[in-house]
Amino acid sequence: MTVPRGGPVSTHANSRSVILDAVRAAGTISRVEIVRQTGLTGATVSTVVRRLIDEGIVAEIGTAESTGGKPRTILRLEPSARYAVGVHLDHGGVTYVVTDLAGEIVARTRRPGIGDAGPQDVVTRITGEIGALVAVAGVARSRLLGVGVCLPGPVFQTPADAVVPPTIAQWSDFPLRDALERSVGLPTLMDNDATAGALGEHWARGVPGSVCFGAVYMGTGIGGGLIVGGVPYWGASGNTMEIGHVCVDLDGPPCWCGNRGCVEALAGPATVVAAARAAGLLDGPARSVVADFAAVARAASQGDDAALALLQDSARYVAVAAHTMATVMDADHVVLTGPSFGAAGAIYLPVVREELEKRYFARGTHPVGVTISQHAYEAAAVGAAAMVLQTELVPRQLGIVLPAAGRLDTATTAVRPLQDAPGPASAAG
Ligand SMILES: [Zn+2]
């Protein structure tokens, strides 16, 4: 099976995928509410839901009192019905996760980076490590939908369908996705890590009720992703929301991207680490930027005022980047994710929040929520798995916007176990 690299797929969103995504977005939902939300007929909803139950993807978990009518049967996704593998090839290492249908991690591991290894050796290694992790997770291969792989941006799509970041540019003619797909024997998708991280938040309902939200991804550098109506926004080449490379000082220091005065050059993790080392705040040999940045964050949390000042100064720039993204895209939420926010999120969160509360352009129209991802450390790998889940289960295009979970009828919150229910609900119950 040939699966396109990330990006909107051309498959028409049929009633099955619309209903499945309504169940996913809601967490728990009745058939009546699916009808109300999707505009599909009760008969269509009943037929499709019955099929999804027969396939084991959706389960009836109980009943909820209805206002004036008979109790409604409550549905939710069956998390163990399907799984996906997510792989994040980063500068410092390779992170692997297996997630269930709900986007929750069921197994994870981290291995050394690819170093100078040739691409075919790396494909063989990744294939072996995926096989080992799936075995540890105890997941039947028949329930695996595919493999998502993500890399730091910028990504380039070559005529050979290779998508490679500059860090492994020597692979530029190697069709990595195709080679992995053949080697692993499962559909394989590939994209940049910040966009994957944003999609992971969407799929796992990290931002319920959002119409348009941005993710600021901070690992070694600073990137971003945008989800509009449940679908990643891709731009022309899959390199959107590179907010680390927004210029905030025309005469600022040069950045590796070719620009100068970028947020990343002024305040990214590598700059924080360099400043900390120059100030004598880091001992020993340099490790990866992410590991050294986490050490600065630990020092700050243990009362080192100089480390705290460095991070608070960085947070001011990151807050401007988040503000810029939210303002340009009229976002209703910003998620801070990636391992460097996993380490120092408690310092950055209040600074970004204050920036968006006080200075967001459309603040008189709607607030902008700011949160830290629950999976900040593995966000990219989780998101890579979510790319597979979404593409395989609910292929959608921009412009197909489902009502969001935050607007659901609260009647679904009180759920009684099914065995206590008076009997199976009838269709569209
Ligand atoms: Zn730059």
Side-chain angles (χ1 to χ4, degrees):
M1 172 176 183
T2 301
V3 180
R5 67 177 282 268
V9 291
S10 58
T11 314
H12 182 64
N14 56 25
S15 55
R16 183 181 191 275
S17 66
V18 168
I19 290 169
L20 195 49
D21 206 42
V23 178
R24 180 205 57 78
T28 57
I29 192 169
S30 71
R31 290 172 177 82
V32 168
E33 286 161 332
I34 295 174
V35 168
R36 194 185 307 149
Q37 286 197 17
T38 62
L40 296 166
T41 66
T44 298
V45 170
S46 293
T47 302
V48 172
V49 165
R50 172 49 54 196
R51 209 171 291 148
L52 290 168
I53 290 172
D54 290 345
E55 290 176 43
I57 294 176
V58 165
E60 293 178 328
I61 60 162
T63 60
E65 293 304 323
S66 162
T67 48
K70 60 188 176 184
R72 290 173 293 177
T73 303
I74 300 304
L75 308 164
R76 70 159 165 76
L77 290 186
E78 177 50 57
S80 63
R82 300 288 185 276
Y83 296 86
V85 176
V87 182
H88 183 204
L89 287 173
D90 198 4
H91 302 278
V94 186
T95 303
Y96 299 82
V97 298
V98 177
T99 76
D100 63 19
L101 189 52
E104 289 298 317
I105 297 171
V106 297
R108 76 188 88 198
T109 189
R110 183 155 170 87
R111 295 282 183 259
I114 57 177
D116 296 327
Q120 193 54 57
D121 290 343
V122 171
V123 166
T124 302
R125 196 182 108 190
I126 290 175
T127 303
E129 286 170 350
I130 287 173
L133 189 65
V134 168
V136 166
V139 171
R141 196 172 171 85
S142 61
R143 294 193 174 199
L144 272 179
L145 289 172
V147 178
V149 181
C150 63
L151 316 147
V155 293
F156 303 115
Q157 192 162 23
T158 71
D161 197 22
V163 181
V164 292
T167 45
I168 51 173
Q170 70 272 24
W171 293 16
S172 59
D173 293 325
F174 184 76
L176 179 59
R177 188 195 65 79
D178 286 352
L180 273 172
E181 186 165 280
R182 274 196 304 275
S183 178
V184 178
L186 289 167
T188 300
L189 295 173
M190 193 168 281
D191 218 302
N192 91 51
D193 53 11
T195 296
L199 184 65
E201 291 299 319
H202 163 71
W203 186 266
R205 303 171 60 240
V207 194
S210 171
V211 175
C212 170
F213 77 88
V216 181
Y217 186 93
M218 191 160 75
T220 299
I222 299 172
L226 187 78
I227 303 294
V228 183
V231 180
Y233 173 74
W234 301 99
S237 67
N239 289 295
T240 62
M241 289 295 130
E242 288 291 349
I243 51 156
H245 301 281
V246 167
C247 174
V248 287
D249 181 355
L250 290 177
D251 301 313
C255 179
W256 64 265
C257 75
N259 196 0
R260 55 169 59 243
C262 293
V263 170
E264 185 174 305
L266 284 159
T271 301
V272 170
V273 166
R277 198 163 284 286
L281 301 176
L282 286 170
D283 299 327
R287 297 172 295 163
S288 72
V289 168
V290 170
D292 278 345
F293 183 82
V296 178
R298 269 196 307 279
S301 69
Q302 289 163 5
D304 187 320
D305 288 341
L308 181 62
L310 276 177
L311 293 169
Q312 285 176 328
D313 191 47
S314 162
R316 291 174 55 227
Y317 286 88
V318 171
V320 168
H323 180 175
T324 301
M325 175 166 69
T327 297
V328 169
M329 299 311 300
D330 191 17
D332 55 32
H333 201 100
V334 172
V335 183
L336 307 181
T337 192
S340 293
F341 280 126
I347 294 165
Y348 284 76
L349 180 64
V351 182
V352 177
R353 253 189 198 150
E354 185 181 358
E355 173 79 18
L356 282 165
E357 276 170 10
K358 289 189 175 169
R359 287 181 276 279
Y360 177 57
F361 180 77
R363 63 189 179 280
T365 304
H366 63 83
V368 183
V370 184
T371 49
I372 302 269
S373 167
Q374 288 192 352
H375 295 305
Y377 284 101
E378 298 103 347
V382 170
M387 291 189 320
V388 174
L389 297 170
Q390 174 153 312
T391 302
E392 293 291 313
L393 291 173
V394 294
R396 290 162 58 192
Q397 289 179 293
L398 273 176
I400 303 169
V401 180
L402 287 170
R407 298 173 198 155
L408 289 183
D409 187 335
T410 52
T412 55
T413 53
V415 178
R416 285 192 284 134
L418 199 57
Q419 57 267 34
D420 295 334
S426 61

